Structures are given as structure tokens and as C-alpha cells.
Amino acid sequence: MPVGALSFSLAEIAARLGGDVLGDGNIRIFRVSTLATAGEGEIAFLANRKYRSQLQTTLAAAVIVGPDAADGFAGPRIVTGNPYAYYARVAALLNPPRAGFAGVHRSAVVDSTLPDSVSVGPQACIGRDVVLGENVVVHAGCVIGDGVHIGAGSVLYPNVTVYHDCRIGERAIIHSGAVIGADGFGFAPEGKTWVKIPQIGRVVIGDDVEIGANTTVDRGALEDTVIGKGCKIDNLVQIAHNCRIGDYSVLAGCAGVAGSVTMGEHCIVGGAGMVSGHITLAAGTTISAGTLAMKSVNESGARLSGVFPAEQHEDWVRNAAHIRRLAKLAERVAELEKKLKENDTRG
């Protein structure tokens, strides 16, 4: 076990996180690993049935399994209804967040009064009338504009920028390079030129939200852009002005959401998925990776997919040529059906 690493017995883990311990509950765990690579002091998990055979060969000190796989491993194990979520909680238990510093770094520029429990890193800049909750951590190089409120326990990693008056809830995690509250893309045409529309709304982010590196969330033009509680947003995601993202929704990397989109709760947008502006997605809507959603979805739990699987280039060129002729082919089929119907009538 590495020097200084946290460790817990299997029984201690179950006492904190729930689940049933089978086998030796005193065995100590310091790290989470995969079934294929785990060894002494490491706990693995089975969340996908196709890896079940690895329960017979793994060298893990213990495993996390569902009830249907409880008899598949002879060693110590924790049985739980959701092994994947349980693994995530064990990993968090063994790897608590580290601030890396305490207090306010001497190079930080702070124009607001902060609680003693707040940590502010080097070269950070905090404007006027900023409200930071207890145990907020602001890493190096962050810029927090005037009038921003950030809830207790939130962490901003290096070089995050939060523009003026934005609101971030409790226990948020904002990763490096994210920009919260930049101007939305609002311009009014006037002849050949474009007149900038002031973006006077805010960004309001709920509790327990995580936002990935280099993601941007634009402020509203008039009303606020709202990210609901529990949302998880990956790296390099663009959320435009006036969007409302429902609670517990998930957006994977490189997704893009145009302005004034409303998503219900528990929506999922796959990697590089795109959502056109001014539409509404019902609760539980899933947009597959690489898919463009252009119309509102009113049916809860709907799944949209609109991308062809990759194929050899020569096959793609041939199929694309056929697709270009589909409209003419449809016209010919309609004409033939009409003639057949006329012949049947004469007969």
C-alpha cells in the first residue's frame, strides 16, 4: 500500500455505504481497480455481464457484485443492487478531494470578505460583493466576477472564469478552463452589419452539478440560463444563452446546445450530440452520440438516433450516391403505384 494512502476494511466500507459483506470483512482496501488488473489491497467491480468470466481469474482482494453474481466469486465481496454506482462511491471514499493549499494565497486578489474555511489559490482574482459558502475551494488562476454567489463545498479548478452575478449551488465541481456566464451569441441584423444585443441575464447552476474542462455556459439575453441540480456536463460542451437544462441531465463531451432549449429532467445527450435552438425535449429524452435534434420531443423517454455507423470509404461513397437519388426514386415509385392502381381500376 502506498505511504499515506487511505484504507478501509470491507466491513467499514459496507457500514458507510451499505451493501452486504460476504466472506472476510476485515480485509483492508486502499484502491479500486478493474477485474483484469486488481491485486492485493484492491477492490474490483462487475457492472457488465460480459466480464463475468473474469470473476474466476481476478486477483482482486475483494469485488463488488450484484445479487445475480454473488456466487461467481469465492473471495470477500460486497453485494449491492447497483455495483457501478457503488464502485463510484468507494472510489470517492478512498480518494477524497484535495485542496492543495489552505487559506488565501498571498498572490490572490480578493475584493470581498470570505469565510475562514475558504481556500483561494495563487493568482486567483475575486471581485466585489462575491459570496462564497463554507469550504469553497478556488484554485490557481480562477477569476470570479463581481456579485457572484457560490454555494458551500464547491470546488473551482485552475483557470475557471465565472462572470459577474452568476450563481453556483452547493457542492459544485467546475473543472479547469470552464467559462460560466460569457455573453450569449446575440446579434440583430441591420443592413449588412450586426448590432450586439446586451446579454443581461445570468447563469444559475443548481446543487451537485459537475462541469467539465473547457466547457462554456453562456449567460441569458434577458432571462437566466439555468442548469438544474445534479446535472453532469462533460468536457468541451457548449450551452448557449437562455437554455434550461433539467435536473439530473447528462451531456457528454463535445455536445452542443443552441439557444433557448428547454430540457426536462434526466435527459441524456451523447458525445457530439447537437440540439437546435428554441425546441423542448421531454423528460428522459436520450440523444445518441453524433445525432442532431431539430424538433421538439413531447414523448417522455424518447430516444433519437440519426447517424450512420462508419463503414469502408468506398462503401460509403456508393451508398451516399444512392441516398442522393432517393427523392427521384420515391417519385418513380409513386408514379408506378399510380399506374398500377389505374390498371386495376380498368380491369
Side-chain angles (χ1 to χ4, degrees):
M1 184 175 71
V3 175
L6 289 177
S7 71
F8 296 88
S9 71
L10 214 58
E12 289 172 335
I13 292 172
R16 289 170 177 255
L17 305 179
D20 298 319
V21 176
L22 301 182
D24 184 3
N26 294 318
I27 191 166
R28 299 200 71 80
I29 301 298
F30 76 94
R31 186 159 59 196
V32 175
S33 190
T34 66
L35 289 167
T37 62
E40 183 179 355
E42 297 179 332
I43 189 168
F45 63 98
L46 177 69
N48 189 324
R49 293 181 61 184
K50 73 178 183 179
Y51 298 117
R52 182 164 180 162
S53 63
Q54 293 184 12
L55 290 175
Q56 307 300 320
T57 58
T58 185
L59 299 178
V63 297
I64 304 165
V65 294
D68 60 334
D71 297 332
F73 183 71
R77 54 209 183 275
I78 292 178
V79 181
T80 177
N82 188 338
Y84 193 62
Y86 200 96
Y87 133 75
R89 292 190 173 93
V90 173
L93 179 65
L94 296 171
N95 300 276
R98 292 175 291 178
F101 53 87
V104 178
H105 194 274
R106 64 182 182 277
S107 68
V109 177
V110 180
D111 290 335
S112 297
T113 301
L114 307 179
D116 292 338
S117 62
V118 167
S119 298
V120 180
Q123 305 301 323
C125 182
I126 298 177
R128 297 184 298 273
D129 301 319
V130 170
V131 177
L132 301 184
E134 296 290 335
N135 299 309
V136 166
V137 178
V138 179
H139 281 264
C142 290
V143 178
I144 301 177
D146 295 345
V148 168
H149 291 196
I150 300 177
S154 293
V155 178
L156 276 61
Y157 282 99
N159 300 315
V160 168
T161 299
V162 183
Y163 280 53
H164 58 280
D165 296 325
C166 290
R167 300 290 186 266
I168 298 175
E170 297 184 355
R171 298 174 300 279
I173 301 173
I174 315 293
H175 288 280
S176 295
V179 178
I180 309 299
D183 280 358
F185 192 65
F187 299 90
E190 186 176 62
K192 294 183 178 180
T193 65
W194 298 91
V195 179
K196 182 176 177 62
I197 300 171
Q199 305 291 289
I200 60 177
R202 306 172 299 174
V203 172
V204 177
I205 296 174
D207 295 340
D208 300 302
V209 170
E210 182 160 355
I211 295 177
N214 293 323
T215 281
T216 56
V217 183
D218 292 344
R219 68 193 311 112
L222 294 173
E223 299 179 350
D224 297 333
T225 299
V226 178
I227 309 296
K229 64 183 179 181
C231 288
K232 309 301 178 186
I233 301 171
D234 200 358
N235 304 331
L236 296 168
V237 172
Q238 158 68 9
I239 298 177
H241 59 181
N242 302 108
C243 288
R244 302 185 72 87
I245 309 300
D247 296 349
Y248 305 107
S249 292
V250 176
L251 287 77
C254 297
V257 184
S260 300
V261 167
T262 299
M263 292 188 187
E265 295 184 352
H266 292 280
C267 287
I268 298 173
V269 181
M274 308 295 287
V275 184
S276 293
H278 302 275
I279 68 173
T280 298
L281 301 179
T285 298
T286 295
I287 298 173
S288 297
T291 296
L292 170 61
M294 298 185 66
K295 297 180 179 179
S296 291
V297 176
N298 300 317
E299 178 186 352
S300 297
R303 178 161 189 161
L304 308 182
S305 296
V307 63
F308 287 101
E311 56 187 347
Q312 293 291 331
H313 178 72
E314 294 78 8
D315 294 334
W316 180 87
V317 170
R318 183 169 56 253
N319 290 332
H322 293 322
I323 290 171
R324 291 176 62 184
R325 293 195 291 267
L326 283 178
K328 292 183 178 179
L329 180 60
E331 291 176 0
R332 292 179 61 188
V333 169
E335 185 179 345
L336 289 171
E337 288 178 339
K338 181 180 179 181
K339 289 182 178 179
L340 287 171
K341 187 175 181 179
E342 290 174 352
N343 291 335
D344 289 342
T345 302
R346 292 171 186 169

